[in-house]
Amino acid sequence: MACHLAGSAEMLRELESSVGAGVSVAGVSCLGRCDRAPAACVSVQDSEHEHFFLGRSTDELKEIVGSFLRVEPVTEDHDADWGAVAGESLVDSHGGNLPRYSAARLVIEARDASLRKAGEILVKESGWGPWQVEQFRLGCIRRSRVDLRSIRR
Ligand code: FES
């Protein structure tokens, strides 16, 4: 729905009519990036990775498709570049500036700052690329979730 409201149906029609042979354009279900709609995903045959482009215009997506076809480097949009705290995100999952979420905000800000610093170190000292840093960040976030059902009062 977020992408639809951002004009994805028209974008799809325009892209379908402009891309050449060897390229398939299709609408898909939500890509989980509703806050950065319209979201697009490029899958290259025989590649294990998908490439996400968020909030891009139709003209930009045409350029991106052309770059993939010419096997040129493409700058994709990584989740790691997106902040999950108020002020950096279009969607505030903690309900504006309600005081009851202040502790959650502090925890998320501290977590994100630590992961950004860790990512910088991994890039600098281990030569990691953006995809590896993003997988590291996601893995850390998943492991840091607290199962409230396991906490006894
Ligand atoms: S509706 Fe497009 S990413 Fe969710």
Side-chain angles (χ1 to χ4, degrees):
M1 182 53 73
C3 288
H4 181 73
L5 292 173
S8 63
E10 187 176 320
M11 294 175 85
L12 271 174
R13 278 192 296 275
E14 196 172 333
L15 284 168
E16 284 171 342
S17 66
S18 65
V19 295
V23 178
S24 173
V25 177
V28 296
S29 60
C30 177
L31 294 173
R33 274 83 174 180
C34 308
D35 57 316
R36 290 159 287 169
C41 175
V42 174
S43 298
V44 177
Q45 189 172 4
D46 299 327
S47 171
E48 62 186 72
H49 301 301
E50 294 176 324
H51 309 270
F52 289 89
F53 302 93
L54 310 168
R56 303 292 189 108
S57 70
T58 307
D59 287 340
E60 286 176 301
L61 293 175
K62 288 179 187 174
E63 283 292 319
I64 288 165
V65 169
S67 294
F68 273 104
L69 290 171
R70 293 186 298 272
V71 196
E72 295 173 353
V74 176
T75 302
E76 56 192 287
D77 300 315
H78 297 280
D79 291 330
D81 299 331
W82 169 79
V85 296
E88 297 180 42
S89 171
L90 297 178
V91 175
D92 184 355
S93 57
H94 297 101
N97 290 318
L98 294 176
R100 68 176 179 258
Y101 292 120
S102 60
R105 286 180 193 286
L106 290 174
V107 168
I108 291 170
E109 287 169 3
R111 180 200 68 192
D112 289 350
S114 297
L115 290 175
R116 270 193 296 276
K117 185 66 181 171
E120 291 169 11
I121 292 169
L122 289 167
V123 168
K124 184 177 177 186
E125 297 187 8
S126 300
W128 282 24
W131 186 84
Q132 291 167 304
V133 171
E134 176 62 5
Q135 295 309 306
F136 169 77
R137 189 190 73 85
L138 291 174
C140 290
I141 290 173
R142 288 186 189 114
R143 287 176 188 261
S144 67
R145 287 196 175 136
V146 176
D147 183 357
L148 295 176
R149 296 169 300 185
S150 67
I151 299 175
R152 297 197 176 125
R153 293 178 182 218

